[in-house]
Amino acid sequence: MLTPSLSTPPLFAALASARNVLIAGAGGGFDVYAGLPLAFALWESGVRVHLANLSFSELELVDREFWTAQHVVAVTPDSVSPDWYFPEGTLARWLAAHDLPSTVYAFPPLGVQSLREAYRHLIDTLDLDAVVLVDGGTDILLRGDENGLGTPVEDVTSLAAVAGLDVPVKLVTCLGFGIDAHDGVSHVQVLENIAALDRDGGYLGALSIPGTSREATLYREAVADAAAATPQRPSIVQGQIAAATAGMFGDVQFTSRTRGSTLFINPLMAMYFTVSLDKLAARCLYLPLIEPTYGRRQVITRIDSFRATLPTTRIPRAYPH
């Protein structure tokens, strides 16, 4: 049982006994990048860290030699794809250039049962004793009855998949608080959910990434490299987090993709909010409905059906100011 202490961040206390850790992007796209500061810190302390990501790339275009299981691609610096959108390949090459472990495991968008088998394969082959799902944003913390859910499909599929596996340590950490407001998320409701998890003993606190730290510096370099490699679609989420780690504030525009939008870059975006994966899964109202799914479309349909049956949603309150 983890004993909280102000002197040791609970995120690192929870991982203290782990020697083989998987840090996995839960929501697709560039989510795995949000796990890099944590990975850098763990690598520096001698922990074996592996990276994975639920991918939006056309993984079927990657040569079969890189597939280690039916739904798992071991993307390395040598992995080539004609798909111009390939964050996992970009990250693998950047890691190799910095003499860091450079395999990034990638999963196609799946349903819960299929994705669970992919995770089980990695747990068995890598002898994992900890899995940390990382979300760029905080919509993975929503339980289903909020006013808006953001983009929950991939996040909650990942949550459900790992919740059904036997691993000594299972955590969810979020980086980029406030970013999901663009997708209709009420962050007052996110805070309400965090408070409920805290009452249940499932909240492991918030942890700032110091802007001048090695972890923040390397993270910003990796995000800049990804933006240069994908100029048509740089990550809005990671770009905002990177700006926040550099001390930027307010409407900091860094890509034409956000033209016409007013951004609110702020220090909360540079903080990890960490919770127990199992306790978070237990609070998700529609997790049992998506449990039997094998395909992404099934997950979408069941979430939509759940939302349609709600008599009402929680009315969001305004944050006092």
Side-chain angles (χ1 to χ4, degrees):
M1 182 70 177
L2 177 66
T3 301
S5 168
L6 185 62
S7 63
T8 303
L11 168 57
F12 287 92
L15 294 171
S17 62
R19 305 274 34 103
N20 278 308
V21 179
L22 179 69
I23 298 176
F30 289 89
D31 261 10
V32 64
Y33 278 77
L36 288 179
L38 176 59
F40 297 144
L42 292 174
W43 274 322
E44 186 72 11
S45 67
V47 178
R48 290 190 64 192
V49 178
H50 311 272
L51 299 175
N53 199 42
L54 198 156
S55 180
F56 290 155
S57 302
E58 299 291 341
L59 292 179
E60 65 271 16
L61 301 177
V62 179
D63 287 347
R64 298 307 300 182
E65 67 180 283
F66 296 102
W67 289 73
T68 63
Q70 183 180 4
H71 297 302
V72 182
V73 184
V75 179
T76 74
D78 297 323
S79 301
V80 177
S81 171
D83 187 359
W84 62 269
Y85 184 80
F86 194 26
E88 297 81 15
T90 300
L91 179 55
R93 290 187 290 274
W94 184 88
L95 291 167
H98 288 75
D99 296 320
L100 292 165
S102 57
T103 297
V104 182
Y105 295 95
F107 317 121
L110 301 164
V112 172
Q113 295 295 320
S114 305
L115 186 58
R116 183 173 294 154
E117 286 307 309
Y119 271 102
R120 182 175 285 117
H121 169 74
L122 290 185
I123 289 168
D124 292 343
T125 58
L126 300 177
D127 193 26
L128 299 175
D129 47 19
V131 175
V132 182
L133 291 184
V134 62
D135 182 22
T138 55
D139 54 357
I140 196 173
L141 301 179
L142 302 178
R143 57 185 252 134
D145 60 352
E146 294 82 3
N147 187 62
L149 297 188
T151 55
V153 176
E154 285 74 27
D155 288 326
V156 179
T157 300
S158 299
L159 175 65
V162 178
L165 293 170
D166 184 15
V167 189
V169 179
K170 293 184 283 186
L171 304 174
V172 171
T173 194
C174 301
L175 188 63
F177 185 93
I179 283 174
D180 298 313
H182 176 74
D183 290 314
V185 170
S186 164
H187 286 82
V188 171
Q189 292 182 328
V190 172
L191 292 172
E192 185 179 9
N193 290 355
I194 291 174
L197 283 162
D198 198 10
R199 292 193 298 274
D200 290 343
Y203 178 46
L204 280 72
L207 179 64
S208 293
I209 302 170
T212 57
S213 65
R214 172 179 176 271
E215 293 85 357
T217 301
L218 287 173
Y219 168 71
R220 289 192 294 269
E221 290 179 9
V223 171
D225 176 76
T230 317
Q232 307 98 314
R233 195 179 167 189
S235 173
I236 294 173
V237 171
Q238 304 304 325
Q240 291 182 78
I241 298 169
T245 68
M248 303 297 180
F249 185 84
D251 189 16
V252 181
Q253 297 288 333
F254 54 88
T255 171
S256 60
R257 292 187 68 200
T258 59
R259 187 180 295 122
S261 300
T262 301
L263 303 181
F264 184 53
I265 309 297
N266 67 87
L268 292 177
M269 291 181 176
M271 298 173 68
Y272 278 123
F273 289 80
T274 306
V275 302
S276 158
L277 187 148
D278 286 335
K279 288 186 180 294
L280 178 63
R283 286 185 49 80
C284 183
L285 298 174
Y286 58 88
L287 215 68
L289 296 178
I290 69 170
E291 172 67 23
T293 59
Y294 285 85
R296 181 177 183 271
R297 176 55 57 182
Q298 289 177 296
V299 177
I300 295 171
T301 300
R302 293 183 182 218
I303 294 176
D304 289 344
S305 297
F306 166 78
R307 292 285 284 179
T309 64
L310 286 178
T312 184
T313 57
R314 283 156 52 194
I315 299 173
R317 291 180 288 173
Y319 190 85
H321 59 81

